[in-house]
Amino acid sequence: MRLDFSGERLLAVVAHPDDAELLCAGTLARAKRDGAAIGIAVLCRGDKGQPRTPVENLAAVRLSEMTDAAHLLGAELLRGDIPDGELYDGPEHRLVAIDLLRQFSPTLVLAHAPDDYHPDHRAAGQLAEAATWFACSVGHATAHPPLAVHPALWWMDTIDMLSFEPEFFVDVSEFAELKTRMLACHRSQLQRGTDGDFAPLSELMQRQLAARGAQAGVAAAEAFRAHRVWKRTVAW
């Protein structure tokens, strides 16, 4: 079975500026190749992911980095502009997520899995799940009109594949080099590779691509699960 994303609108809803590169940029690139519209909604500013030698005006630096990466992918970039570590599933942030979905009008949302390691990732996943429902509700007023149809929702793989059992894989072998170039845009975070509380991101991404690819019988793959609930499950 091979997925065809032609005619779809894929939106990755992620916590931080480099999360899409690590977990779903290959799938977004493949969808764009098929003719889909693609977007990345980054909920947090990335203002607190400092290396040991602090970066001045980090939020502005990371905005520039994620803009460059989105440009390489050819994706529309949307921002929630919420401080790192302050993301939570509450009324204020739900409205932010709802309006981002309404701006892009996705047919498919890619979101952080409930068991991912970072509190911001887990909160972003909860917000994306809520927004895929409430974005169609007239009772939740935002700057943009309600969606006519609920988008489908896929949970993305977790960082380093912990506590995630894939349901299916997307072959992204031909886009692995693009993922690498996109991640290279995030220089402020690559500087953190030797920090004890972090990890070398490029090595982590390559290891994950290869491991999921081996499981799927291809060179490189990204793993997902479908969120199987009413009106967020569709036939492909």
Side-chain angles (χ1 to χ4, degrees):
M1 180 186 76
R2 294 186 66 83
L3 286 171
D4 181 357
F5 293 102
S6 59
E8 302 296 337
R9 297 183 61 83
L10 274 69
L11 180 66
V13 178
V14 297
H16 305 117
D18 55 355
D19 290 334
E21 285 77 354
L22 293 169
L23 298 174
C24 68
T27 298
L28 293 175
R30 177 169 164 176
K32 184 175 177 62
R33 190 271 316 272
D34 288 349
I38 59 172
I40 302 172
V42 181
L43 297 183
C44 294
R45 296 174 187 165
D47 57 316
K48 296 187 179 70
Q50 287 280 12
R52 294 298 185 193
T53 302
V55 175
E56 190 173 352
N57 299 318
L58 181 61
V61 169
R62 296 202 72 187
L63 172 59
S64 176
E65 291 171 347
M66 67 177 165
T67 300
D68 290 345
H71 180 73
L72 284 176
L73 182 60
E76 182 178 345
L77 181 62
L78 301 93
R79 298 166 52 214
D81 204 33
I82 298 165
D84 287 5
E86 299 179 28
L87 193 66
Y88 71 99
D89 183 11
E92 179 183 358
H93 292 171
R94 279 192 177 190
L95 287 178
V96 171
I98 289 167
D99 198 53
L100 290 173
L101 262 65
R102 289 174 173 176
Q103 286 182 55
F104 189 79
S105 190
T107 59
L108 173 62
V109 169
L110 312 178
H112 290 290
D115 291 330
D116 209 341
Y117 83 106
H118 198 296
D120 285 343
H121 289 198
R122 296 193 296 272
Q126 291 175 323
L127 288 164
E129 196 279 336
T132 57
W133 180 258
F134 292 121
C136 291
S137 172
V138 176
H140 291 75
T142 69
H144 294 82
L147 302 181
V149 179
H150 298 279
L153 175 61
W154 291 356
W155 299 124
M156 301 183 297
D157 205 352
T158 58
I159 297 293
D160 216 24
M161 304 172 286
L162 294 170
S163 300
F164 190 86
E165 186 65 33
E167 284 184 351
F168 58 93
F169 303 88
V170 176
D171 182 357
V172 299
S173 302
E174 65 185 279
F175 305 107
E177 191 270 337
L178 173 60
K179 278 171 65 79
T180 300
R181 287 193 291 123
M182 289 177 65
L183 188 61
C185 293
H186 297 274
R187 291 173 290 277
S188 68
Q189 300 308 289
L190 295 178
Q191 291 176 33
R192 302 176 65 195
T194 57
D195 293 355
D197 63 346
F198 208 57
L201 290 181
S202 184
E203 294 176 20
L204 185 153
M205 185 181 74
Q206 299 301 335
R207 181 171 67 245
Q208 190 152 340
L209 276 173
R212 293 310 194 191
Q215 292 169 353
V218 296
E222 292 172 342
F224 299 91
R225 289 200 305 260
H227 187 42
R228 302 192 184 283
V229 297
W230 188 52
K231 289 188 178 290
R232 265 74 58 80
T233 303
V234 302
W236 294 88

